[in-house]
Amino acid sequence: PARPGVEKEVPPSSHSTIINLVTREGRPPSPSMVIHIEEHRDRLVSMMKESPELQMSLDLYTISDLALTQMKTQIGTSRVALWMDTGQAQRPPILLRSHGIRKQWARVIGTACGLPILNHLRKTERIETLADLGKLIDPAPLRIVAEAGLALFAPVVAKGRVFGFIGLGFPDERRSFDDMDVRVLNASLGMLGVALENTGMYNRLVEKHRQLEATNEGLRELDRLKNQFVSNVNHELRTPLTIILA
């Protein structure tokens, strides 16, 4: 334990990983700054280790669960949910997954205020607090959002397209988000956006393949009917000709 009035000592291993690090004033970093940087590094390393599993999955719900679990761990919150754009302008986003939030509340949030939130995040493409979005939401659903414990909303973007948005509660041990939280959240959102884009491309390829298979099956059936027709015509013509020749 740190002595009263003395900052917590940093293990030698931590110092060895931060070489030639100086502050803006040119002085070596304080022990608390070193600890902060080490925590940031550890969170990013942990995120990168989980990234391959997220990118390799092609199941929408598996991706959602992996991403939300990652965000809960990295941000330290127990409440997070993901809503997905339906692709139809006037339809509200649908709930994909929610962790730590009653599903009926999460569904009501998507139905009652998901569309104005999504449209706003499409324009800004940035993280917004509930206070920023409060003027867009009617009082009744706003109370449900607050009761659900959501404090932050962020768009999931890839290649300029907003796929949906997530809602997060405050970290369990504090009532605010720091700069590290925002950086980690942006990195997580970027990986989630790429994963959703990959899944969409894969699903479109599967659908195209299914359509081609159906077309090919139709062509095969058409060819079979053509051969049957020619065979029937040949048979019908051959019978009277045989009688005439006889």
Side-chain angles (χ1 to χ4, degrees):
R3 297 186 300 275
V6 178
E7 289 184 300
K8 180 181 177 182
E9 295 182 359
V10 181
S13 60
S14 296
H15 286 291
S16 65
T17 61
I18 307 177
I19 302 173
N20 297 326
L21 180 65
V22 295
T23 64
R24 291 180 181 177
E25 292 78 14
R27 297 193 301 270
S30 66
S32 61
M33 182 184 295
V34 172
I35 292 172
H36 181 76
I37 294 172
E38 283 292 310
E39 288 175 351
H40 194 180
R41 185 208 63 176
D42 291 342
R43 289 165 73 174
L44 291 176
V45 168
S46 174
M47 187 187 312
M48 295 307 297
K49 288 180 179 178
E50 296 169 354
S51 176
E53 186 178 4
L54 183 65
Q55 302 303 324
M56 290 176 63
S57 177
L58 294 172
D59 178 73
L60 196 59
Y61 295 100
T62 300
I63 289 173
S64 302
D65 277 326
L66 287 172
L68 295 188
T69 300
Q70 182 186 82
M71 291 178 192
K72 285 171 57 182
T73 302
Q74 298 299 332
I75 305 299
T77 181
S78 58
R79 301 180 180 187
V80 59
L82 171 63
W83 292 268
M84 190 82 170
D85 182 19
T86 62
Q88 301 179 24
Q90 299 304 317
R91 291 195 61 183
I94 59 173
L95 174 69
L96 281 186
R97 282 288 189 265
S98 64
H99 293 187
I101 304 171
R102 292 169 58 183
K103 281 189 172 51
Q104 49 266 53
W105 284 2
R107 291 193 183 99
V108 168
I109 291 169
T111 302
C113 50
L115 196 55
I117 291 175
L118 181 61
N119 289 336
H120 180 77
L121 294 177
R122 275 203 190 99
K123 296 176 183 177
T124 64
E125 291 191 9
R126 69 186 183 196
I127 298 172
E128 303 278 7
T129 65
L130 180 58
D132 296 327
L133 298 172
K135 60 182 178 295
L136 304 174
I137 305 173
D138 292 333
L142 182 62
R143 285 194 296 271
I144 295 177
V145 175
E147 187 69 23
L150 298 179
L152 205 67
F153 292 86
V156 181
V157 186
K159 295 184 178 180
R161 177 189 170 189
V162 176
F163 287 89
F165 65 89
I166 63 155
L168 293 98
F170 283 120
D172 294 338
E173 297 181 357
R174 47 197 162 86
R175 296 287 296 175
S176 64
F177 297 92
D178 60 24
D179 182 64
M180 186 189 300
D181 294 327
V182 174
R183 290 174 182 271
V184 169
L185 178 57
N186 277 323
S188 296
L189 290 169
M191 290 190 292
L192 175 57
V194 171
L196 292 177
E197 171 68 14
N198 291 341
T199 301
M201 292 175 61
Y202 172 77
N203 289 334
R204 288 193 293 273
L205 286 173
V206 169
E207 179 60 20
K208 288 292 184 183
H209 178 74
R210 187 195 65 78
Q211 292 175 1
L212 287 173
E213 282 292 317
T215 301
N216 288 336
E217 181 62 30
L219 291 173
R220 286 191 290 268
E221 177 64 13
L222 184 62
D223 190 58
R224 185 188 68 79
L225 292 174
K226 181 198 70 174
N227 292 335
Q228 183 179 349
F229 173 77
V230 171
S231 175
N232 290 341
V233 169
N234 287 338
H235 175 74
E236 294 298 330
L237 289 175
R238 191 181 303 113
T239 300
L241 285 174
T242 302
I243 295 173
I244 293 173
L245 292 174

